[in-house]
Amino acid sequence: MFRIRCPYCRELRSEEEFSYAGEAHIPRPEDPSSLSDAEWGEYLHTRTNPRGPHREMWVHTAGCRRYFNVLRDTLSYEILAVYLVGEMPPEREEAR
Amino acid sequence: MVKYASISETRCAGSNPGRMERYSLLSLVRHARRYHENWQRAWRDPAPKKAYDIVIVGGGGHGLATAYYLAKVHGVTDVAVVEKGWLGGGNTGRNTTIVRSNYLRDESSHLYEFSLKLWEGLSQELNFNVMFSPRGVLYLGHNLHDMREIERRVNANRLNGIDAELLSTADVQKLVPLMSCSPNARYPVLGASLQRRGGIARHDAVAWGFARAADAQGVDILQRTEVTGVRCDNGAVAGVETSRGFIGARKVACVTAGNSGVLAAMAGLKLPIESRPLQALVSEPLKPCLDVVVQSSGVHCYVSQADKGDLVIGAGTDSYNGYGQRGSFSVIEHTLQAICELFPAFSRVRMNRHWGGIVDICPDACPIIGETPVRGLYFNCGWGTGGFKATPGSGYVFAETLAYERPHPLAAPFSLDRFATGALVDEHGAAGVAH
């Protein structure tokens, strides 16, 4: 169990209010028809799945229902940073 | 049509070199007279050799089964199993031990049915009691859609030669008197599918049985040896770096479940896998009260009673990626709500322990078995939430894949390239995978 600070509601709320929405920063290819099967398969299915800091998307389902990004350690479940869609995660020191 | 070796062939191939002391009533009596002081250790604790023909990374059920069948069926004994902790300490010891084969798709049902047939003779095969108990696996339907899916799956199973029955509410109530089958329930039980040959087994015994039998064939089992790197040379694997030094290998076979992505990254690969905690819990021991396995995707729980009396209860996976071997309390709460809804009599039962295993989930909820772009590097992973039941079958087909460097016919549909070709074997939900 952990709590997430929603960047829109600006409140620290229980994990149960949120829904996980997968790995962040996987842009949809601009011209899918120009990709090979392998490239398209990689876009659809391949994930970094790290043991450690992971950049992922969450949505505040029971709150403002908006999407945002989280940098979370998948081993300790510590939340290292919360940042908006379109932004890149801050440097680790800043996040602390 | 898939064709594969018959079970009788798998039993008689190879022979026991006689180093292993057989367990029997006679040996028990003999040892009893000597106060049980001189039992042979179940497997050796050898020092790692400089190099092996095949290094298997991961000493869980699947890895040990792979080693066993490599030695027994294919005569490949220059094999090491490298394990960072203790045998069966990962997902083999962190599941709910359900064994069944009632999957929907042809590819997966053939694979799991092959495995179930191996389970049926496994204790004799390994000379180790794995306590396989085919007590029947019940899968409940709570609405019209559930029942249609169940009927479809029962029909698909029967066409594939897998035993499956469709039960009415009255049949279910007769089979499980403790279950609340009231029509006034919020999620009434409208019927169920039953696979009578399905059941449960003893998880530790599976790892120990395969370890002892593999060791007897000359396989080196290296515990407390963590792989820290995969050494590659010109696109081919050369061996693994471990906490006990470099171990060379012609082929490296990774059977590391939730940590497969970590191993893949060591070789510069990425897999279509996400690792998530799947948790389960056991209660205090009770008198016998439940003699089938009960599963329900509708209310999302599964429960069976182990031979020593505790209820073994399974929960869902956490919704997010994680490597911490523990689960969320919200998932436990949800699961126990479902259990109490189905079995009001269990509401006062106290829970003893809970644990989480890290399951490796593929987009189509099916495993990845076979080669990778790195020559000599093989993966057997992606079994996700249902790997325990596949243990012997997975080891068997992976051993053949390694020995002949071509996929076993049953493993062929589960190659890594299906994520490029799009030939996914969609088993999410469809096969009654209550996680």
Side-chain angles (χ1 to χ4, degrees), chain B residues 107-319:
Chain B
E107 297 87 343
S108 36
S109 54
H110 285 141
L111 181 59
Y112 288 104
E113 176 64 10
F114 179 69
S115 187
L116 180 56
K117 286 190 175 134
L118 290 174
W119 273 109
E120 286 166 347
L122 199 60
S123 292
Q124 288 75 23
E125 161 92 18
L126 298 178
N127 181 233
F128 200 102
N129 189 2
V130 299
M131 295 170 74
F132 174 57
S133 162
R135 55 185 61 190
V137 175
L138 204 55
Y139 181 85
L140 305 178
H142 300 277
N143 54 45
L144 197 58
H145 175 75
D146 280 359
M147 290 314 297
R148 283 181 182 147
E149 285 296 320
I150 286 174
E151 280 173 43
R152 178 185 181 208
R153 185 156 46 81
V154 165
N155 285 331
N157 289 159
R158 293 173 83 132
L159 286 171
N160 275 324
I162 295 168
D163 72 307
E165 289 167 48
L166 192 65
L167 302 190
S168 68
T169 309
D171 298 334
V172 174
Q173 185 74 85
K174 200 165 160 224
L175 196 65
V176 193
L178 267 187
M179 191 190 293
S180 161
C181 293
S182 161
N184 298 323
R186 185 171 175 195
Y187 301 103
V189 176
L190 299 186
S193 71
L194 174 66
Q195 184 178 25
R196 290 189 193 270
R197 286 163 59 239
I200 56 173
R202 168 92 203 278
H203 46 54
D204 288 330
V206 178
W208 297 337
F210 273 118
R212 174 168 167 269
D215 178 84
Q217 307 273 346
V219 171
D220 279 1
I221 295 168
L222 310 171
Q223 295 182 78
R224 295 187 302 280
T225 309
E226 182 171 1
V227 170
T228 53
V230 176
R231 194 185 288 180
C232 298
D233 201 7
N234 283 336
V237 78
V240 289
E241 310 281 355
T242 75
S243 53
R244 290 164 83 180
F246 176 75
I247 302 175
R250 229 162 44 77
K251 293 174 209 163
V252 172
C254 297
V255 199
T256 46
N259 281 305
S260 295
V262 179
L263 259 291
M266 289 177 188
L269 299 173
K270 272 166 90 174
L271 295 174
I273 277 180
E274 291 198 294
S275 299
R276 293 188 176 172
L278 173 66
Q279 59 184 325
L281 51 167
V282 290
S283 73
E284 58 191 343
L286 308 175
K287 286 190 175 176
C289 60
L290 180 64
D291 60 0
V292 291
V293 181
V294 176
Q295 294 190 306
S296 165
S297 268
V299 296
H300 210 155
C301 64
Y302 39 109
V303 57
S304 64
Q305 188 174 26
D307 288 340
K308 69 179 177 190
D310 17 2
L311 298 173
V312 182
I313 294 172
T317 55
D318 283 353
S319 65

Side-chain angles (χ1 to χ4, degrees), chain A residues 41-59:
Chain A
E42 185 166 328
Y43 161 68
L44 285 182
H45 304 300
T46 307
R47 298 291 177 264
T48 48
N49 195 24
R51 184 188 171 99
H54 184 222
R55 302 184 301 181
E56 56 199 23
M57 294 184 291
W58 287 78
V59 55

Side-chain angles (χ1 to χ4, degrees), chain A residues 1-2 15-16 20 23 37-38 41 45-51 54 58 72 74-77, chain B residues 259 262 270-277 319-324 326 328 330 363 419-420 424:
Chain A
M1 288 296 277
F2 48 82
E15 153 207 332
E16 284 181 81
Y20 180 69
E23 185 175 344
D37 287 350
H45 304 300
T46 307
R47 298 291 177 264
T48 48
N49 195 24
R51 184 188 171 99
H54 184 222
W58 287 78
R72 185 180 59 95
T74 57
L75 193 56
S76 67
Y77 298 171
Chain B
N259 281 305
V262 179
K270 272 166 90 174
L271 295 174
I273 277 180
E274 291 198 294
S275 299
R276 293 188 176 172
S319 65
Y320 45 81
N321 289 14
Y323 285 86
R326 59 188 184 278
S328 302
S330 55
F419 297 98
L424 305 187

Side-chain angles (χ1 to χ4, degrees), chain B residues 13 23 65 76 93-94 100 134 141 144 177 189 204 263 301 325 328 367 369 414 432-433:
Chain B
Y23 295 154
V76 183
R94 292 167 183 270
R100 60 185 177 89
L144 197 58
V189 176
D204 288 330
L263 259 291
C301 64
Q325 288 176 312
S328 302
I369 311 169
F414 301 102
V433 184

